[in-house]
Amino acid sequence: MLRNGLEPWHLLVVAIMIILLFGSKKLPEAARGLGKSMRILKSEAKAMKEDGTAQSTAAQAAPEETTAAQPTAESNLVH
């Protein structure tokens, strides 16, 4: 019975229930709202990813500069 999970007729029943609940006039408006939300989510995720890579490259460059400026224990012993 549950071996195949979701069959095409299940999707048909769900689609009919959604049409009955929301009506045919509200569905295009809801689809537009969902599409707009998905676009905003994608752009925010892309911006966060770009910020993360910019911060990681800055973090990788910063320790190299600070370690070069600090004297090591061996240089203190030579003097």
Side-chain angles (χ1 to χ4, degrees):
M1 183 172 153
L2 294 175
R3 196 170 40 170
N4 291 335
L6 197 62
E7 294 184 11
W9 68 271
H10 290 123
L11 295 175
L12 182 65
V13 170
V14 169
I16 291 171
M17 294 303 294
I18 289 173
I19 290 171
L20 288 175
L21 285 173
F22 295 109
S24 61
K25 292 184 180 182
K26 291 278 186 174
L27 287 177
E29 182 181 323
R32 273 191 292 277
L34 182 62
K36 186 183 280 188
S37 299
M38 292 301 293
R39 273 185 254 122
I40 291 170
L41 180 65
K42 277 177 97 173
S43 67
E44 291 295 324
K46 184 178 179 182
M48 288 178 65
K49 186 176 180 181
E50 289 173 357
D51 287 346
T53 56
Q55 288 177 356
S56 66
T57 55
Q60 289 174 355
E64 293 171 1
E65 294 170 3
T66 57
T67 55
Q70 296 174 349
T72 61
E74 293 174 5
S75 66
N76 289 340
L77 293 176
V78 175
H79 293 304

